[in-house]
Amino acid sequence: MRDGASEFRSDLAHLRVRLREFANTLHRMAYDSDFIDHETPPAIEPAVLDQVFTDLPYGIPANHLVDDLTREKINQSEASEIAARRGKSNTQISNAVGLALSGGGIRSASFCLGACQALADHGLLQDVDIVSTVSGGGYTGAFISRQMAANPSDPTASLRNRNGPDTDAIRGLRAKVKYLAPSGFAEKWSMICSLVAGMALNWVAPAAILCLVVLVVFLTEAAWIHAQPILSLVALIAIAVGFLFYAIGHARNRTRAIRRFSVSAGIATVLLAVSLIPPLYTFYRYLLEEGAALGAVALAVVAASLPTVARIVGLVDRKFAEMVLLRATLVLASIAVPVIGLVFSFAIWDLANVPKELGFLPEFTKQLPPEWWGFAVLAGLAVILGLIAVFALNVNLTGPGRLYRNRLARSFVAISDQSDSFVALENLNTCTTNASQPSPGKAPYHLINATVNLSTSRSPVLRERKGDFFLLSKYWTGAPSTAYRPTTEWRTSDGNIDLATAIATSGAAVSPHMSLMSIPSMTGLMAFLNLRLGLWVRKPGVEQKNLRPGFLNLLKEMFSFGMDEKSDWLLLSDGAHVDNSGIYELLRRRCKFIVACDASADDNDSFATLMTVVRHAQIDFGIQLMPRLEDLRSDLETGQTAAHTLMCQIKYPGQPDGLLLVFKSSVTGNESEFIRTYRAANPDFPNQSTLDQSFDEAQFEAYRQLGVHVVDGLFVPSILGLGGQPTSVSAWFRRLATNLLPRQV
């Protein structure tokens, strides 16, 4: 299985032919008869291999976190789709072939494209029954689904020619691979305005709350003035009470004691923060009246130092620099956001206390008591901002997720510049060359994996994960915790879910809530800064009056409340937040043969993507995966691995085994000169950061060629043995298993 060993075995196979010819010549000279050649027996006995390749029925079995009635409906609809793709009427499907395309942004999309092109050229892509995609793998999955459905007579025609020349479809994809890059100044300006406007509209909600808080303080100003000295004392008392509760109760019930202390400490913190408002307001007035020049100088110093800092950062490792800059930005933002809130509060306080002698005030206001002006200003602002937040805010439209979706639609969903970019999920795998009579396509059934974030769920299954596996597909959408319902019944604020929205949601890597990858301390900050690619979807059966996710949904994102499986609206994010491999749903359906493209970044040999699905499969389904990873571990000096691939058995409980074949985006040293040259100039290849989503042509081609190289390596005679090229995935797996599974049976 090692790349170097494969080359040696290939040379040895040719040498054996010559040695047999020589042995036969000597035998004829000595005995006047042909030499009887006894072939070396296979590594796996044929009887054992036959047992491994026993037929495996397709479908979700009982007790796989899905109720029986829904499970039967899901199995029937998917089996019917697979049977139609196979051109058979029998819906009793067995030995299903699954293709999993992992997450990893455009890096994964490029690698997976090359792998799929190689499978198409070897005549095996058309055998795939079901494709399961996550995040960046979904870009390529959508592209493949659309291309294969468009040409039922020859589904893989537009995907072949891995070594060139490009087909029209691949050529068009190359032109759009910088899917996030604006095409000109006008488009760039439009993107900036859209993002700024969305962020500003989101800020309306917390601004309305601050106006209400300042209004309460304004109406009770006299009481607050006398209460300030007492606040610090009450805060100290709260801390003392908390310590007392903890000291007395920790021996009896430590959890309850900690909870009581936390409440007391929270009250004390709030009181201390309130007591600091007067000195902070004094400092704010000082900056406005006397220290404005100081702020301008500080800003100028920071601006002038940025180029120098950037040059210094450029001298260190790129990935390290990205992490440093990201963390520095978040630290600055965590300081800036509270400051912005305070400054806004102080500003509207000053506005409420504007002297009525100012000339711009209406004449009639001079006859009113001074406090009426302040009340009118604060109440008016609170009402106006509140009305905008309640009736105009749609958090699915204000975040950058909509822009992300539109770019993906144009680049990976649209078959041509004239075709539809927004295809409803229920219309997947439909050939529309004849608009009056659309016909079924020959594409695999597409499973798109996302995560539903349920951070406040009380379910013991979800409490640790803080989310669940959410599936979007042609017929069924949902999760075990939220129940599966027909896809046509799910809604976003725009209506039905389309393919572009689904793959954008599956790739919503940046979100305040990220299930296993959530950072609770950053949730509110990320929501406030509009770092939100996630999508809110409305559960089937919700009242029609609740037609869009608005003010309340934004507060849920900021403060993490009311986010459980019973909510009317559910927040979806990147499928990689629970499973980055795409393998999980194929295991749930008991696929016999699973081909997995793993393009996740793994430069520390943690194999997090593969090990996560191994853990989840064991816990949720009782399915055992037994991968051997020694050949995929990188050399400490060269960073190279011994192999690109591994094969292992899938132990389905009470059923015949399945087989998993993994293609890993790694380098072994025997790649093409183009790939080696690119890696020499970019040492972090093939684990470049997903923050880079604007690949140039060389970068895209390096990953695409790597995908081609990895797959082609499993079609050499030293791996396949004699007999020519396999004509089906089943035959291919059987011949691979002969060489790659000797220690796993």
Side-chain angles (χ1 to χ4, degrees):
M1 196 169 179
R2 295 169 178 260
D3 275 30
S6 296
E7 293 180 358
F8 172 76
R9 289 162 68 178
S10 180
D11 293 338
L12 182 60
H14 291 292
L15 178 60
R16 288 177 63 189
V17 173
R18 301 297 298 273
L19 289 175
R20 287 194 187 100
E21 292 176 353
F22 181 65
N24 188 56
T25 300
L26 291 177
H27 199 275
R28 289 183 62 84
M29 291 174 61
Y31 304 105
D32 197 24
S33 63
D34 290 333
F35 173 70
I36 300 176
D37 187 8
H38 298 282
E39 289 282 351
T40 303
I44 300 178
E45 293 294 332
V48 177
L49 199 60
D50 289 340
Q51 185 178 0
V52 173
F53 279 80
T54 303
D55 288 349
L56 174 66
Y58 171 83
I60 302 173
N63 301 321
H64 270 211
L65 309 179
V66 183
D67 66 89
D68 287 340
L69 180 60
T70 303
R71 178 178 59 83
E72 291 177 3
K73 291 180 178 179
I74 293 174
N75 287 343
Q76 182 60 37
S77 59
E78 293 182 359
S80 298
E81 186 85 0
I82 293 172
R85 193 206 62 76
R86 291 183 175 185
K88 298 180 179 180
S89 58
N90 185 4
T91 58
Q92 299 300 314
I93 302 299
S94 62
N95 297 341
V97 178
L99 174 64
L101 306 180
S102 80
I106 195 66
R107 179 190 67 230
S108 175
S110 309
F111 176 81
C112 292
L113 176 64
C116 291
Q117 283 188 279
L119 289 173
D121 275 344
H122 289 289
L124 301 183
L125 185 62
Q126 61 192 24
D127 280 2
V128 175
D129 296 306
I130 187 165
V131 59
S132 176
T133 65
V134 184
S135 194
Y139 308 170
T140 295
F143 177 75
I144 289 173
S145 294
R146 293 281 284 150
Q147 293 295 330
M148 292 184 70
N151 188 6
S153 61
D154 190 0
T156 63
S158 60
L159 304 172
R160 295 198 290 265
N161 298 347
R162 66 191 187 282
N163 295 321
D166 283 345
T167 62
D168 290 341
I170 301 298
R171 187 177 297 110
L173 183 61
R174 284 186 191 275
K176 300 173 183 177
V177 71
K178 288 189 176 184
Y179 67 100
L180 287 179
S183 57
F185 175 77
E187 191 170 359
K188 183 182 295 185
W189 178 249
S190 176
M191 289 173 59
I192 294 173
C193 291
S194 174
L195 294 174
V196 171
M199 184 182 296
L201 190 56
N202 275 358
W203 289 352
V204 167
I209 295 175
L210 286 177
C211 285
L212 287 175
V213 172
V214 174
L215 176 60
V216 171
V217 175
F218 180 82
L219 295 176
T220 59
E221 182 179 4
W224 276 95
I225 292 175
H226 296 293
Q228 289 297 328
I230 304 174
L231 291 177
S232 299
L233 178 61
V234 175
L236 293 175
I237 293 174
I239 288 289
V241 171
F243 274 117
L244 182 63
F245 280 150
Y246 182 77
I248 295 174
H250 82 282
R252 298 178 182 177
N253 190 324
R254 187 171 182 272
T255 301
R256 182 182 298 175
I258 292 176
R259 187 183 302 117
R260 289 177 176 177
F261 177 73
S262 299
V263 172
S264 301
I267 294 173
T269 301
V270 171
L271 293 175
L272 287 174
V274 172
S275 67
L276 290 175
I277 290 178
L280 288 174
Y281 179 72
T282 302
F283 181 65
Y284 161 77
R285 294 300 308 175
Y286 167 75
L287 289 179
L288 285 182
E289 296 171 2
E290 301 179 15
L294 181 63
V297 171
L299 183 62
V301 170
V302 172
S305 64
L306 282 177
T308 303
V309 172
R311 290 180 183 178
I312 294 174
V313 171
L315 296 177
V316 300
D317 178 71
R318 180 178 178 180
K319 185 173 294 186
F320 175 78
E322 288 172 347
M323 291 303 300
V324 168
L325 290 175
L326 179 61
R327 291 177 180 176
T329 301
L330 291 176
V331 168
L332 290 175
S334 64
I335 297 172
V337 168
V339 170
I340 292 173
L342 276 175
V343 170
F344 176 78
S345 301
F346 292 156
I348 59 176
W349 174 268
D350 284 346
L351 185 62
N353 287 280
V354 170
K356 65 179 184 177
E357 288 80 12
L358 291 180
F360 68 83
L361 295 180
E363 185 64 29
F364 75 90
T365 61
K366 298 179 181 180
Q367 308 302 321
L368 299 176
E371 62 272 13
W372 283 35
W373 163 259
F375 175 81
V377 168
L378 294 174
L381 277 174
V383 169
I384 293 173
L385 294 175
L387 289 174
I388 294 174
V390 172
F391 294 104
L393 182 61
N394 184 334
V395 293
N396 277 348
L397 304 183
T398 56
R402 188 177 180 84
L403 175 65
Y404 178 42
R405 179 204 67 170
N406 293 344
R407 295 290 172 159
L408 290 176
R410 185 179 67 180
S411 301
F412 297 95
V413 175
I415 296 177
S416 65
D417 293 337
Q418 291 76 37
S419 68
D420 189 3
S421 298
F422 300 99
V423 180
L425 284 181
E426 60 265 27
N427 294 329
L428 276 182
N429 197 23
T430 300
C431 180
T432 57
T433 52
N434 185 349
S436 61
Q437 293 183 338
S439 58
K442 294 292 185 179
Y445 189 78
H446 195 170
L447 306 177
I448 302 169
N449 297 272
T451 299
V452 55
N453 291 276
L454 307 170
S455 57
T456 62
S457 174
R458 294 181 178 272
S459 168
V461 177
L462 304 174
R463 186 167 296 175
E464 178 67 23
R465 296 178 183 176
K466 300 180 181 178
D468 202 0
F469 299 86
F470 195 90
L471 180 71
L472 302 106
S473 68
K474 179 176 181 177
Y475 294 116
W476 293 90
T477 291
S481 57
T482 65
Y484 293 91
R485 292 291 181 267
T487 296
T488 53
E489 296 181 7
W490 291 84
R491 295 287 186 275
T492 68
S493 52
D494 291 340
N496 289 359
I497 303 175
D498 60 80
L499 177 59
T501 299
I503 63 173
T505 303
S506 176
V510 179
S511 176
H513 296 267
M514 299 182 289
S515 189
L516 291 172
M517 302 171 65
S518 295
I519 307 175
S521 60
M522 301 298 296
T523 297
L525 177 64
M526 293 181 69
F528 185 83
L529 295 176
N530 211 22
L531 298 175
R532 304 167 42 257
L533 289 176
L535 176 76
W536 287 89
V537 294
R538 193 182 70 193
K539 291 172 62 176
V542 174
E543 295 183 17
Q544 292 297 311
K545 64 180 181 180
N546 193 2
L547 296 179
R548 57 181 173 77
F551 176 53
L552 182 60
N553 298 82
L554 182 61
L555 293 183
K556 287 182 177 181
E557 282 194 69
M558 286 183 172
F559 302 110
S560 303
F561 69 90
M563 297 185 66
D564 57 35
E565 60 272 26
K566 298 178 182 178
S567 302
D568 292 347
W569 286 87
L570 303 170
L571 178 61
L572 307 184
S573 64
D574 198 320
H577 295 157
V578 286
D579 171 38
N580 195 36
S581 70
I583 299 173
Y584 183 87
E585 290 295 339
L586 299 179
L587 295 174
R588 190 199 295 274
R589 287 158 173 75
R590 293 185 304 191
C591 286
K592 178 70 174 182
F593 308 111
I594 298 178
V595 179
C597 295
D598 181 4
S600 57
D602 196 27
D603 52 356
N604 59 358
D605 285 345
S606 65
F607 301 103
T609 293
L610 190 56
M611 289 299 100
T612 297
V613 75
V614 167
R615 182 178 77 250
H616 287 159
Q618 177 78 54
I619 294 172
D620 296 345
F621 307 143
I623 296 174
Q624 294 183 10
L625 300 176
M626 298 174 289
R628 299 291 185 90
L629 301 173
E630 56 267 20
D631 285 345
L632 296 184
R633 290 192 168 90
S634 56
D635 183 88
L636 294 178
E637 294 184 2
T638 65
Q640 297 177 354
T641 62
H644 298 288
T645 57
L646 68 83
M647 175 177 272
C648 70
Q649 289 175 253
I650 306 169
K651 293 290 185 180
Y652 291 111
Q655 295 289 336
D657 291 352
L659 290 174
L660 171 65
L661 178 63
V662 178
F663 303 146
K664 190 74 182 78
S665 57
S666 60
V667 292
T668 60
N670 73 331
E671 293 80 16
S672 68
E673 192 60 43
F674 174 78
I675 295 176
R676 286 184 289 180
T677 301
Y678 183 84
R679 185 169 187 261
N682 302 271
D684 50 351
F685 175 88
N687 294 306
Q688 290 167 306
S689 172
T690 51
L691 294 177
D692 181 6
Q693 290 294 294
S694 296
F695 277 22
D696 55 28
E697 183 178 280
Q699 195 172 12
F700 174 83
E701 183 62 10
Y703 282 97
R704 192 199 69 83
Q705 281 196 23
L706 181 61
V708 170
H709 169 77
V710 170
V711 175
D712 280 348
L714 292 180
F715 286 88
V716 296
S718 57
I719 294 293
L720 289 181
L722 302 177
Q725 294 292 298
T727 58
S728 68
V729 168
S730 177
W732 184 42
F733 267 66
R734 188 180 187 96
R735 291 166 66 179
L736 290 177
T738 302
N739 283 322
L740 305 185
L741 283 179
R743 293 177 293 172
Q744 305 210 23
V745 175

